[in-house]
Amino acid sequence: MVRGRGPRGAGAELTPRPWWFGPEALEPGTADAPFDLVLLDRDGTLNERVVDGYVTRPEDLVLLPGAAEAVAALTRAGCRTVLVTNQRGIARGLMGRADLEVVHARLVDELTAAGAHLDAIAVCPHDEGECSCRKPRDGLFREALSRAPWARVDRCLLVGDMPSDIEPARGLGMRTLRVDEVTRIGAGIEALLGRRAGRDWPLDERRGEGHVP
């Protein structure tokens, strides 16, 4: 992932816009990618949630089983992937931009070791009612789309574990995949890409027309 410039701090300097870490503009994926953009929630989707708390240190970040492999499968498929995450702990003063960057450096390192790649990260650092990007609002999704004007919204996929992830994506016309403790992201992406049946890239899924829950 190319690390872009983020805001200088929190508190009084917070703006209604999300923080964007990545290139100013995203390049299209491969011509046969099954989706133009795949937006990935973080806590509860890629890594374990901290009960009654936040991931404020690298050692707090524990990837869920199969998460890195799922992102690697999307990378091999030629998809552009963007992390979209609420991080209210910043607004509450429990962590700052530097802390977030160190946590995400750990995430990127673990994904890279599995052959996975994130093209960018979009973060809402705000408290409730302070912005238009805190999920379930759709500002994080719109930010990613604005960086990829070539992407068709109906060929974009959101993967998340909460209704607050799914609802704004569906409202924009994106496809969605909801994961939970039973259906983890690894199994969900595997099924979506048609590998359980021993198939290699079904034509309908390659065009983004396969069924996604």
Side-chain angles (χ1 to χ4, degrees), residues 102-153:
V102 173
V103 168
H104 282 162
R106 164 78 172 264
L107 174 63
V108 168
D109 287 345
E110 293 202 19
L111 293 177
T112 299
H117 178 74
L118 289 178
D119 292 283
I121 297 175
V123 178
C124 172
H126 310 108
D127 209 335
E128 295 180 6
E130 294 183 348
C131 66
S132 60
C133 59
R134 178 175 169 79
K135 294 180 283 185
R137 295 181 175 88
D138 62 10
L140 290 176
F141 306 88
R142 290 183 181 277
E143 183 71 24
L145 289 170
S146 74
R147 307 282 180 158
W150 43 267
R152 278 175 38 192
V153 69

Side-chain angles (χ1 to χ4, degrees), residues 135-197:
K135 294 180 283 185
R137 295 181 175 88
D138 62 10
L140 290 176
F141 306 88
R142 290 183 181 277
E143 183 71 24
L145 289 170
S146 74
R147 307 282 180 158
W150 43 267
R152 278 175 38 192
V153 69
D154 62 326
R155 281 182 45 84
C156 295
L157 171 71
L158 178 282
V159 185
D161 69 315
M162 301 290 287
S164 57
D165 300 315
I166 303 301
E167 292 168 5
R170 284 182 175 169
L172 290 171
M174 294 181 179
R175 296 173 180 272
T176 61
L177 172 65
R178 187 171 180 183
V179 298
D180 54 33
E181 293 182 355
V182 176
T183 303
R184 301 284 194 183
I185 185 173
I189 293 300
E190 181 184 23
L192 178 61
L193 299 184
R195 298 191 176 181
R196 279 186 178 169

Side-chain angles (χ1 to χ4, degrees), residues 57-78:
R57 305 172 300 168
E59 53 266 36
D60 296 334
L61 186 102
V62 179
L63 288 184
L64 289 165
E69 293 76 12
V71 182
L74 293 169
T75 299
R76 290 193 299 271

Side-chain angles (χ1 to χ4, degrees), residues 46-68:
L46 293 183
N47 60 276
E48 295 180 0
R49 291 185 179 277
V50 174
V51 179
D52 298 325
Y54 302 90
V55 178
T56 60
R57 305 172 300 168
E59 53 266 36
D60 296 334
L61 186 102
V62 179
L63 288 184
L64 289 165

Side-chain angles (χ1 to χ4, degrees), residues 39 60 82:
L39 307 184
D60 296 334
V82 178

